[in-house]
Coordinates of all heavy atoms in Angstrom, one line a residue:
M1 N 154.3 -186.0 -145.4 CA 155.6 -186.3 -145.1 C 155.6 -186.7 -143.6 O 155.1 -185.9 -142.8 CB 156.5 -185.1 -145.3 CG 158.0 -185.4 -144.9 SD 159.1 -184.0 -145.2 CE 159.0 -184.0 -147.0
E2 N 156.2 -187.8 -143.3 CA 156.3 -188.2 -141.9 C 157.7 -187.8 -141.3 O 158.7 -188.5 -141.6 CB 156.0 -189.6 -141.7 CG 155.9 -190.0 -140.3 CD 155.3 -191.4 -140.1 OE1 155.4 -192.2 -141.0 OE2 154.8 -191.7 -139.0
L3 N 157.7 -186.8 -140.5 CA 159.0 -186.4 -139.9 C 159.4 -187.3 -138.8 O 158.6 -188.0 -138.2 CB 158.8 -184.9 -139.4 CG 158.5 -183.9 -140.4 CD1 158.2 -182.6 -139.7 CD2 159.5 -183.7 -141.4
Y4 N 160.7 -187.3 -138.5 CA 161.2 -188.1 -137.4 C 160.5 -187.8 -136.1 O 160.1 -188.6 -135.3 CB 162.7 -187.9 -137.2 CG 163.2 -188.6 -135.9 CD1 163.4 -189.9 -135.9 CD2 163.4 -187.8 -134.8 CE1 163.8 -190.5 -134.7 CE2 163.9 -188.4 -133.6 CZ 164.0 -189.8 -133.6 OH 164.5 -190.4 -132.4
S5 N 160.2 -186.5 -135.8 CA 159.6 -186.1 -134.6 C 158.2 -186.7 -134.5 O 157.8 -187.0 -133.4 CB 159.6 -184.5 -134.5 OG 158.9 -184.0 -135.6
K6 N 157.5 -186.7 -135.6 CA 156.1 -187.3 -135.5 C 156.2 -188.8 -135.3 O 155.4 -189.4 -134.5 CB 155.4 -187.1 -136.9 CG 155.0 -185.7 -137.1 CD 154.2 -185.5 -138.4 CE 153.8 -184.1 -138.6 NZ 153.1 -183.9 -139.9
R7 N 157.2 -189.5 -135.9 CA 157.3 -190.9 -135.7 C 157.7 -191.2 -134.2 O 157.2 -192.1 -133.6 CB 158.4 -191.5 -136.6 CG 158.0 -191.6 -138.0 CD 158.9 -192.5 -138.9 NE 160.3 -192.2 -138.7 CZ 161.0 -191.3 -139.4 NH1 160.4 -190.6 -140.4 NH2 162.3 -191.1 -139.2
A8 N 158.6 -190.4 -133.7 CA 159.1 -190.6 -132.3 C 157.9 -190.4 -131.3 O 157.8 -191.1 -130.3 CB 160.2 -189.6 -132.0
K9 N 157.1 -189.4 -131.5 CA 155.9 -189.1 -130.7 C 155.0 -190.3 -130.7 O 154.4 -190.8 -129.7 CB 155.1 -187.9 -131.1 CG 155.8 -186.6 -130.6 CD 154.9 -185.4 -131.0 CE 155.6 -184.1 -130.6 NZ 154.7 -183.0 -130.9
R10 N 154.7 -190.8 -131.9 CA 153.8 -192.0 -132.0 C 154.4 -193.2 -131.3 O 153.7 -193.9 -130.6 CB 153.6 -192.3 -133.5 CG 152.5 -193.4 -133.7 CD 152.2 -193.7 -135.2 NE 153.4 -194.3 -135.8 CZ 154.1 -193.8 -136.8 NH1 153.7 -192.6 -137.3 NH2 155.1 -194.4 -137.3
L11 N 155.7 -193.4 -131.4 CA 156.3 -194.6 -130.8 C 156.3 -194.4 -129.2 O 156.2 -195.4 -128.5 CB 157.8 -194.7 -131.3 CG 157.9 -195.2 -132.7 CD1 159.4 -195.2 -133.1 CD2 157.4 -196.6 -132.8
R12 N 156.4 -193.2 -128.7 CA 156.4 -192.9 -127.3 C 154.9 -192.9 -126.8 O 154.7 -192.8 -125.6 CB 157.0 -191.6 -127.0 CG 158.5 -191.6 -127.1 CD 159.2 -190.4 -126.6 NE 158.6 -189.1 -127.1 CZ 159.2 -188.4 -128.1 NH1 160.4 -188.8 -128.6 NH2 158.7 -187.3 -128.6
G13 N 153.9 -193.0 -127.7 CA 152.6 -193.0 -127.3 C 152.0 -191.6 -126.9 O 151.1 -191.5 -126.2
E14 N 152.6 -190.6 -127.5 CA 152.3 -189.2 -127.2 C 151.2 -188.6 -128.1 O 150.8 -187.5 -128.0 CB 153.5 -188.3 -127.2 CG 154.5 -188.6 -126.1 CD 155.7 -187.7 -126.2 OE1 155.8 -186.8 -127.0 OE2 156.6 -188.0 -125.4
T15 N 150.8 -189.4 -129.1 CA 149.7 -189.0 -130.0 C 148.4 -189.6 -129.6 O 148.4 -190.8 -129.3 CB 150.1 -189.3 -131.5 OG1 150.3 -190.8 -131.6 CG2 151.4 -188.6 -131.9
P16 N 147.4 -188.8 -129.7 CA 146.0 -189.4 -129.3 C 145.6 -190.4 -130.4 O 145.8 -190.3 -131.6 CB 145.1 -188.2 -129.3 CG 145.8 -187.2 -130.2 CD 147.3 -187.4 -130.1
E17 N 144.9 -191.4 -129.9 CA 144.4 -192.4 -130.8 C 143.0 -192.1 -131.2 O 142.4 -192.7 -132.1 CB 144.5 -193.8 -130.2 CG 145.9 -194.3 -130.0 CD 146.0 -195.7 -129.5 OE1 145.0 -196.5 -129.8 OE2 146.9 -196.0 -128.8
I18 N 142.3 -191.2 -130.6 CA 141.0 -190.8 -130.9 C 141.0 -189.4 -131.5 O 141.7 -188.5 -131.1 CB 140.1 -190.7 -129.6 CG1 140.1 -192.0 -128.9 CG2 138.7 -190.2 -129.9 CD1 139.4 -192.0 -127.6
F19 N 140.3 -189.3 -132.6 CA 140.3 -188.0 -133.3 C 139.4 -187.0 -132.6 O 138.3 -187.4 -132.1 CB 139.7 -188.2 -134.8 CG 140.6 -189.0 -135.6 CD1 140.4 -190.3 -136.0 CD2 141.8 -188.4 -136.1 CE1 141.2 -191.0 -136.8 CE2 142.6 -189.1 -137.0 CZ 142.4 -190.4 -137.3
V20 N 139.8 -185.8 -132.6 CA 139.1 -184.7 -131.9 C 138.5 -183.8 -133.0 O 139.3 -183.3 -133.9 CB 140.0 -183.9 -131.0 CG1 139.2 -182.7 -130.4 CG2 140.6 -184.8 -129.9
Y21 N 137.2 -183.6 -133.0 CA 136.6 -182.9 -134.1 C 136.1 -181.5 -133.8 O 135.7 -180.7 -134.6 CB 135.4 -183.7 -134.7 CG 135.8 -184.9 -135.4 CD1 135.7 -186.1 -134.7 CD2 136.4 -184.9 -136.6 CE1 136.1 -187.3 -135.3 CE2 136.8 -186.1 -137.2 CZ 136.6 -187.3 -136.6 OH 137.0 -188.4 -137.2
D22 N 136.1 -181.1 -132.5 CA 135.6 -179.8 -132.1 C 136.6 -178.7 -131.9 O 136.2 -177.6 -131.7 CB 134.8 -180.0 -130.8 CG 135.6 -180.5 -129.7 OD1 136.7 -181.0 -129.9 OD2 135.1 -180.4 -128.5
T23 N 137.9 -179.0 -132.1 CA 138.9 -178.0 -132.0 C 139.9 -178.2 -133.1 O 140.1 -179.3 -133.6 CB 139.6 -178.0 -130.7 OG1 140.3 -179.2 -130.5 CG2 138.7 -177.7 -129.5
L24 N 140.6 -177.1 -133.5 CA 141.7 -177.2 -134.5 C 143.0 -177.0 -133.7 O 143.1 -175.9 -133.1 CB 141.5 -176.1 -135.6 CG 140.4 -176.3 -136.6 CD1 140.3 -175.1 -137.5 CD2 140.5 -177.6 -137.3
P25 N 143.9 -177.9 -133.8 CA 145.2 -177.7 -133.1 C 145.9 -176.5 -133.7 O 145.8 -176.2 -134.9 CB 145.9 -179.0 -133.4 CG 144.9 -180.0 -133.9 CD 143.8 -179.2 -134.5
Q26 N 146.7 -175.8 -132.9 CA 147.4 -174.7 -133.3 C 148.3 -174.9 -134.5 O 148.4 -174.1 -135.5 CB 148.2 -174.1 -132.2 CG 148.9 -172.7 -132.5 CD 147.9 -171.7 -132.9 OE1 146.8 -171.6 -132.4 NE2 148.3 -170.8 -133.8
P27 N 149.1 -176.1 -134.6 CA 149.9 -176.3 -135.8 C 149.0 -176.4 -137.1 O 149.5 -175.9 -138.1 CB 150.5 -177.7 -135.5 CG 150.6 -177.8 -134.0 CD 149.3 -177.1 -133.5
L28 N 147.8 -177.0 -137.0 CA 147.0 -177.0 -138.2 C 146.5 -175.6 -138.6 O 146.5 -175.3 -139.7 CB 145.8 -177.9 -137.9 CG 144.8 -178.0 -139.1 CD1 145.4 -178.6 -140.3 CD2 143.6 -178.9 -138.6
R29 N 146.2 -174.8 -137.6 CA 145.8 -173.4 -137.9 C 146.9 -172.7 -138.6 O 146.7 -172.0 -139.6 CB 145.5 -172.7 -136.6 CG 144.2 -173.1 -136.0 CD 144.0 -172.4 -134.6 NE 142.9 -172.9 -134.0 CZ 141.7 -172.3 -133.8 NH1 141.6 -171.0 -134.3 NH2 140.7 -172.8 -133.2
V30 N 148.2 -172.9 -138.2 CA 149.3 -172.3 -138.8 C 149.5 -172.8 -140.2 O 149.7 -172.0 -141.2 CB 150.6 -172.5 -138.0 CG1 151.8 -172.0 -138.7 CG2 150.5 -171.7 -136.6
Q31 N 149.3 -174.1 -140.4 CA 149.5 -174.7 -141.7 C 148.4 -174.1 -142.7 O 148.7 -173.8 -143.8 CB 149.4 -176.2 -141.7 CG 150.6 -176.8 -141.0 CD 150.4 -178.3 -140.7 OE1 149.2 -178.8 -140.5 NE2 151.4 -179.1 -140.6
I32 N 147.2 -174.0 -142.2 CA 146.1 -173.5 -143.1 C 146.4 -172.0 -143.4 O 146.3 -171.6 -144.6 CB 144.8 -173.6 -142.4 CG1 144.4 -175.1 -142.3 CG2 143.7 -172.8 -143.1 CD1 143.2 -175.3 -141.4
S33 N 146.9 -171.2 -142.4 CA 147.2 -169.9 -142.7 C 148.3 -169.7 -143.7 O 148.3 -168.9 -144.6 CB 147.7 -169.2 -141.4 OG 148.3 -168.0 -141.6
N34 N 149.3 -170.6 -143.6 CA 150.4 -170.6 -144.6 C 149.9 -170.9 -146.0 O 150.4 -170.4 -147.0 CB 151.6 -171.5 -144.2 CG 152.3 -171.0 -143.0 OD1 152.3 -169.8 -142.7 ND2 153.0 -171.9 -142.3
I35 N 149.0 -171.9 -146.1 CA 148.5 -172.3 -147.4 C 147.7 -171.1 -148.0 O 147.9 -170.8 -149.2 CB 147.6 -173.5 -147.3 CG1 148.4 -174.8 -146.9 CG2 146.8 -173.7 -148.5 CD1 147.6 -176.0 -146.5
F36 N 146.9 -170.4 -147.2 CA 146.2 -169.3 -147.7 C 147.2 -168.2 -148.2 O 147.0 -167.7 -149.3 CB 145.3 -168.6 -146.6 CG 144.0 -169.3 -146.3 CD1 143.3 -168.9 -145.3 CD2 143.6 -170.4 -147.1 CE1 142.1 -169.6 -145.0 CE2 142.4 -171.0 -146.9 CZ 141.6 -170.6 -145.8
D37 N 148.2 -167.9 -147.4 CA 149.2 -166.9 -147.9 C 149.9 -167.3 -149.2 O 150.0 -166.4 -150.1 CB 150.3 -166.7 -146.8 CG 149.8 -166.0 -145.6 OD1 148.6 -165.4 -145.6 OD2 150.5 -166.0 -144.6
Q38 N 150.2 -168.5 -149.3 CA 150.9 -169.0 -150.5 C 150.0 -169.1 -151.7 O 150.5 -168.8 -152.8 CB 151.6 -170.4 -150.2 CG 152.7 -170.3 -149.2 CD 153.0 -171.7 -148.7 OE1 152.5 -172.7 -149.2 NE2 153.9 -171.8 -147.7
Q39 N 148.8 -169.4 -151.5 CA 147.9 -169.7 -152.7 C 147.1 -168.5 -153.1 O 146.9 -168.3 -154.3 CB 147.0 -170.9 -152.4 CG 147.8 -172.2 -152.2 CD 148.7 -172.5 -153.3 OE1 148.2 -172.5 -154.5 NE2 149.9 -172.9 -153.0
I40 N 146.6 -167.7 -152.2 CA 145.7 -166.6 -152.6 C 146.2 -165.2 -152.2 O 145.6 -164.2 -152.5 CB 144.3 -166.8 -152.2 CG1 144.2 -167.0 -150.7 CG2 143.6 -167.9 -152.9 CD1 142.7 -167.1 -150.2
G41 N 147.3 -165.2 -151.5 CA 147.9 -163.9 -151.0 C 147.6 -163.7 -149.6 O 146.8 -164.4 -148.9
T42 N 148.3 -162.7 -149.0 CA 148.2 -162.5 -147.6 C 147.0 -161.6 -147.2 O 146.5 -160.8 -148.1 CB 149.5 -161.8 -147.0 OG1 149.6 -160.5 -147.5 CG2 150.7 -162.6 -147.3
Y43 N 146.5 -161.8 -146.0 CA 145.4 -161.0 -145.5 C 145.7 -159.5 -145.6 O 144.9 -158.7 -145.9 CB 145.1 -161.5 -144.1 CG 143.9 -160.8 -143.5 CD1 142.6 -161.2 -143.9 CD2 144.0 -159.9 -142.5 CE1 141.5 -160.6 -143.3 CE2 142.9 -159.3 -141.9 CZ 141.6 -159.7 -142.3 OH 140.5 -159.1 -141.8
D44 N 146.9 -159.2 -145.2 CA 147.4 -157.7 -145.2 C 147.3 -157.2 -146.6 O 147.0 -156.0 -146.8 CB 148.8 -157.6 -144.6 CG 148.8 -157.9 -143.1 OD1 147.8 -157.7 -142.5 OD2 149.9 -158.3 -142.7
E45 N 147.6 -157.9 -147.6 CA 147.6 -157.4 -149.0 C 146.2 -157.0 -149.4 O 146.0 -156.0 -150.0 CB 148.1 -158.5 -150.0 CG 149.6 -158.7 -149.9 CD 150.0 -159.9 -150.8 OE1 149.2 -160.6 -151.3 OE2 151.2 -160.0 -151.0
C46 N 145.2 -157.8 -149.0 CA 143.8 -157.5 -149.4 C 143.3 -156.3 -148.7 O 142.4 -155.6 -149.2 CB 142.9 -158.7 -149.2 SG 142.4 -159.0 -147.5
H47 N 143.9 -155.9 -147.5 CA 143.4 -154.7 -146.8 C 144.2 -153.5 -147.1 O 143.9 -152.4 -146.6 CB 143.4 -155.0 -145.3 CG 142.2 -155.8 -144.9 ND1 140.9 -155.4 -145.0 CD2 142.1 -157.1 -144.5 CE1 140.1 -156.4 -144.6 NE2 140.8 -157.4 -144.3
H48 N 145.2 -153.6 -147.9 CA 146.0 -152.5 -148.3 C 145.9 -152.2 -149.8 O 146.7 -151.5 -150.4 CB 147.5 -152.7 -147.9 CG 147.7 -152.6 -146.4 ND1 147.7 -153.7 -145.6 CD2 147.8 -151.6 -145.5 CE1 147.9 -153.4 -144.4 NE2 147.9 -152.1 -144.3
G49 N 144.9 -152.7 -150.4 CA 144.5 -152.4 -151.8 C 145.5 -153.0 -152.8 O 145.4 -152.5 -154.0
H50 N 146.2 -154.0 -152.5 CA 147.2 -154.5 -153.5 C 146.4 -155.3 -154.6 O 146.7 -155.2 -155.7 CB 148.2 -155.4 -152.8 CG 149.2 -154.6 -152.0 ND1 149.2 -154.6 -150.7 CD2 150.2 -153.9 -152.4 CE1 150.2 -153.8 -150.2 NE2 150.8 -153.4 -151.3
T51 N 145.5 -156.1 -154.2 CA 144.8 -157.0 -155.1 C 143.3 -157.1 -154.8 O 143.0 -157.6 -153.7 CB 145.5 -158.4 -155.2 OG1 146.8 -158.2 -155.4 CG2 144.9 -159.2 -156.3
A52 N 142.5 -156.7 -155.7 CA 141.0 -156.9 -155.4 C 140.6 -158.3 -155.3 O 139.8 -158.7 -154.6 CB 140.2 -156.2 -156.5
S53 N 141.3 -159.2 -156.1 CA 140.9 -160.6 -156.2 C 141.2 -161.3 -154.8 O 140.5 -162.2 -154.4 CB 141.6 -161.3 -157.3 OG 143.0 -161.3 -157.2
V54 N 142.3 -160.8 -154.1 CA 142.6 -161.4 -152.8 C 141.5 -161.1 -151.8 O 141.0 -161.9 -151.1 CB 144.0 -160.9 -152.3 CG1 144.2 -161.4 -150.9 CG2 145.1 -161.4 -153.2
S55 N 141.1 -159.8 -151.9 CA 140.0 -159.4 -151.0 C 138.7 -160.2 -151.3 O 138.0 -160.6 -150.4 CB 139.8 -157.9 -151.1 OG 138.8 -157.4 -150.3
E56 N 138.4 -160.3 -152.5 CA 137.2 -161.1 -152.9 C 137.3 -162.5 -152.5 O 136.3 -163.1 -152.1 CB 137.0 -161.0 -154.4 CG 136.7 -159.6 -154.9 CD 136.7 -159.5 -156.5 OE1 137.0 -160.6 -157.1 OE2 136.5 -158.4 -157.0
A57 N 138.5 -163.1 -152.6 CA 138.7 -164.5 -152.2 C 138.4 -164.7 -150.7 O 137.7 -165.6 -150.2 CB 140.1 -165.0 -152.5
Y58 N 139.0 -163.8 -149.9 CA 138.7 -163.9 -148.4 C 137.3 -163.6 -148.1 O 136.7 -164.2 -147.2 CB 139.7 -162.9 -147.7 CG 141.1 -163.5 -147.5 CD1 142.1 -163.0 -148.2 CD2 141.3 -164.6 -146.7 CE1 143.4 -163.5 -148.2 CE2 142.6 -165.2 -146.7 CZ 143.6 -164.6 -147.4 OH 144.8 -165.2 -147.3
A59 N 136.6 -162.7 -148.8 CA 135.2 -162.4 -148.5 C 134.4 -163.6 -148.8 O 133.5 -164.0 -148.1 CB 134.8 -161.2 -149.3
F60 N 134.7 -164.3 -149.9 CA 134.0 -165.5 -150.3 C 134.2 -166.6 -149.2 O 133.2 -167.3 -148.8 CB 134.5 -166.1 -151.6 CG 134.0 -167.4 -152.0 CD1 132.7 -167.5 -152.5 CD2 134.7 -168.5 -151.8 CE1 132.1 -168.8 -152.8 CE2 134.2 -169.8 -152.2 CZ 132.9 -169.9 -152.6
I61 N 135.4 -166.8 -148.7 CA 135.7 -167.8 -147.7 C 134.9 -167.5 -146.4 O 134.3 -168.3 -145.8 CB 137.2 -167.9 -147.4 CG1 138.0 -168.4 -148.6 CG2 137.5 -168.7 -146.1 CD1 139.5 -168.3 -148.5
V62 N 135.0 -166.2 -146.0 CA 134.2 -165.8 -144.8 C 132.7 -166.0 -144.9 O 132.1 -166.6 -144.0 CB 134.6 -164.4 -144.4 CG1 133.6 -163.9 -143.3 CG2 136.0 -164.3 -143.9
D63 N 132.2 -165.6 -146.0 CA 130.8 -165.7 -146.3 C 130.4 -167.2 -146.3 O 129.3 -167.6 -145.7 CB 130.4 -165.1 -147.6 CG 130.4 -163.6 -147.5 OD1 130.5 -163.0 -146.4 OD2 130.4 -162.9 -148.6
T64 N 131.1 -168.0 -146.9 CA 130.9 -169.5 -147.0 C 130.9 -170.1 -145.7 O 130.0 -170.9 -145.3 CB 131.9 -170.2 -148.0 OG1 131.8 -169.6 -149.3 CG2 131.6 -171.7 -148.1
L65 N 131.9 -169.8 -144.9 CA 132.0 -170.4 -143.5 C 130.8 -169.9 -142.6 O 130.3 -170.7 -141.9 CB 133.3 -170.0 -142.8 CG 134.6 -170.7 -143.4 CD1 135.8 -170.1 -142.8 CD2 134.5 -172.2 -143.1
R66 N 130.5 -168.6 -142.7 CA 129.3 -168.1 -141.9 C 128.0 -168.9 -142.3 O 127.2 -169.2 -141.5 CB 129.2 -166.6 -142.1 CG 130.3 -165.9 -141.4 CD 130.0 -164.4 -141.4 NE 129.4 -164.0 -142.6 CZ 129.2 -162.7 -143.0 NH1 129.5 -161.7 -142.2 NH2 128.6 -162.4 -144.1
D67 N 127.8 -169.0 -143.6 CA 126.6 -169.8 -144.1 C 126.6 -171.2 -143.6 O 125.6 -171.7 -143.1 CB 126.6 -169.8 -145.6 CG 126.2 -168.4 -146.2 OD1 125.8 -167.5 -145.4 OD2 126.4 -168.2 -147.4
E68 N 127.7 -171.9 -143.8 CA 127.8 -173.3 -143.4 C 127.7 -173.5 -141.9 O 127.1 -174.5 -141.4 CB 129.1 -173.9 -143.9 CG 129.2 -174.1 -145.4 CD 128.1 -175.0 -145.9 OE1 127.9 -176.1 -145.3 OE2 127.5 -174.7 -146.9
L69 N 128.2 -172.5 -141.1 CA 128.2 -172.7 -139.6 C 126.9 -172.1 -139.0 O 126.6 -172.3 -137.9 CB 129.4 -172.0 -139.0 CG 130.8 -172.6 -139.3 CD1 131.9 -171.7 -138.8 CD2 130.9 -174.0 -138.8
G70 N 126.2 -171.3 -139.8 CA 124.9 -170.7 -139.4 C 125.1 -169.6 -138.3 O 124.4 -169.5 -137.4
V71 N 126.2 -168.8 -138.6 CA 126.5 -167.7 -137.6 C 126.6 -166.4 -138.3 O 126.8 -166.3 -139.6 CB 127.8 -168.0 -136.8 CG1 127.7 -169.3 -136.0 CG2 129.0 -168.1 -137.8
H72 N 126.4 -165.3 -137.6 CA 126.6 -163.9 -138.2 C 128.0 -163.5 -138.2 O 128.4 -162.7 -139.1 CB 125.8 -162.9 -137.3 CG 124.3 -163.1 -137.4 ND1 123.6 -162.8 -138.5 CD2 123.4 -163.5 -136.5 CE1 122.3 -163.0 -138.3 NE2 122.2 -163.5 -137.1
S73 N 128.8 -164.0 -137.3 CA 130.2 -163.7 -137.3 C 131.1 -164.9 -136.9 O 130.6 -165.8 -136.3 CB 130.4 -162.6 -136.2 OG 131.8 -162.3 -136.0
L74 N 132.3 -165.0 -137.5 CA 133.1 -166.1 -137.2 C 133.7 -166.1 -135.8 O 134.1 -167.1 -135.3 CB 134.2 -166.2 -138.2 CG 133.7 -166.5 -139.7 CD1 134.9 -166.6 -140.6 CD2 132.9 -167.8 -139.7
V75 N 133.8 -164.9 -135.2 CA 134.4 -164.8 -133.8 C 133.5 -163.9 -133.1 O 132.9 -162.9 -133.6 CB 135.8 -164.3 -133.8 CG1 136.8 -165.3 -134.4 CG2 135.9 -163.0 -134.5
G76 N 133.4 -164.1 -131.7 CA 132.6 -163.3 -130.9 C 133.3 -162.0 -130.5 O 132.7 -161.0 -130.2
T77 N 134.6 -162.1 -130.4 CA 135.4 -160.9 -130.0 C 136.5 -160.8 -131.0 O 136.8 -161.6 -131.8 CB 135.9 -161.1 -128.6 OG1 136.8 -162.3 -128.5 CG2 134.8 -161.3 -127.5
R78 N 137.2 -159.7 -130.9 CA 138.3 -159.4 -131.7 C 139.4 -160.5 -131.5 O 139.7 -160.8 -130.4 CB 138.9 -158.1 -131.4 CG 139.8 -157.6 -132.5 CD 139.1 -156.5 -133.2 NE 140.0 -155.9 -134.2 CZ 139.7 -155.8 -135.5 NH1 138.5 -156.3 -135.9 NH2 140.5 -155.2 -136.3
S79 N 139.8 -161.1 -132.6 CA 140.8 -162.2 -132.5 C 142.2 -161.7 -133.0 O 142.3 -160.9 -133.8 CB 140.3 -163.3 -133.4 OG 141.2 -164.4 -133.5
T80 N 143.2 -162.4 -132.5 CA 144.5 -162.1 -133.0 C 144.8 -163.0 -134.2 O 145.9 -162.8 -134.8 CB 145.6 -162.5 -131.9 OG1 145.4 -163.8 -131.5 CG2 145.4 -161.6 -130.7
S81 N 144.0 -163.9 -134.5 CA 144.2 -164.7 -135.7 C 144.0 -163.8 -137.0 O 143.3 -162.9 -137.0 CB 143.1 -165.8 -135.8 OG 143.1 -166.5 -137.0
K82 N 144.8 -164.2 -138.0 CA 144.8 -163.4 -139.2 C 143.5 -163.6 -140.0 O 143.0 -162.7 -140.7 CB 145.9 -163.8 -140.1 CG 147.3 -163.5 -139.6 CD 148.4 -163.6 -140.6 CE 148.4 -164.8 -141.4 NZ 149.6 -165.0 -142.2
Y83 N 142.8 -164.7 -139.9 CA 141.7 -165.0 -140.7 C 140.4 -165.2 -140.0 O 139.3 -164.9 -140.5 CB 142.0 -166.3 -141.5 CG 143.2 -166.1 -142.4 CD1 144.4 -166.8 -142.0 CD2 143.3 -165.3 -143.4 CE1 145.5 -166.7 -142.8 CE2 144.4 -165.1 -144.2 CZ 145.5 -165.8 -143.8 OH 146.7 -165.6 -144.5
L84 N 140.4 -165.8 -138.8 CA 139.1 -166.1 -138.1 C 139.0 -165.4 -136.8 O 139.8 -165.2 -136.1 CB 139.0 -167.6 -137.9 CG 139.1 -168.4 -139.2 CD1 139.0 -169.9 -138.8 CD2 137.9 -168.1 -140.1

């Protein structure tokens, strides 16, 4: 969906024309977080014993990302992010 605000930014030249691949913009992080919450349940639910399948889903995601990125941990320090 192309919102008016997105069209206006593009017309004003406020959107980058070059794609950036080494960082995830904060709005995208929020969108991904919301998709996770809506589709597989919230991170808090899996840590409070509500659903084993939610915990398993998040464990699978974390393990897959660590394997693909070749790291032992997704973050070096404690993060305020819900997932990474």
Side-chain angles (χ1 to χ4, degrees):
M1 177 177 295
E2 187 170 21
L3 301 175
Y4 170 77
S5 58
K6 288 182 182 179
R7 288 192 312 270
K9 281 183 181 182
R10 189 179 64 244
L11 290 173
R12 290 191 302 260
E14 295 177 5
T15 56
E17 293 187 27
I18 300 173
F19 291 104
V20 177
Y21 294 102
D22 58 347
T23 60
L24 290 176
Q26 187 60 32
L28 178 58
R29 290 173 184 252
V30 171
Q31 290 170 332
I32 292 169
S33 172
N34 290 339
I35 290 169
F36 281 173
D37 287 348
Q38 293 165 3
Q39 298 302 313
I40 57 178
T42 66
Y43 183 76
D44 291 333
E45 286 175 351
C46 77
H47 284 291
H48 290 96
H50 288 105
T51 307
S53 62
V54 172
S55 182
E56 291 170 4
Y58 282 109
F60 173 77
I61 291 167
V62 169
D63 290 345
T64 301
L65 287 172
R66 289 187 323 188
D67 288 346
E68 290 297 319
L69 296 171
V71 297
H72 292 289
S73 175
L74 295 180
V75 293
T77 59
R78 196 103 174 126
S79 174
T80 57
S81 171
K82 293 192 313 188
Y83 303 107
L84 303 178

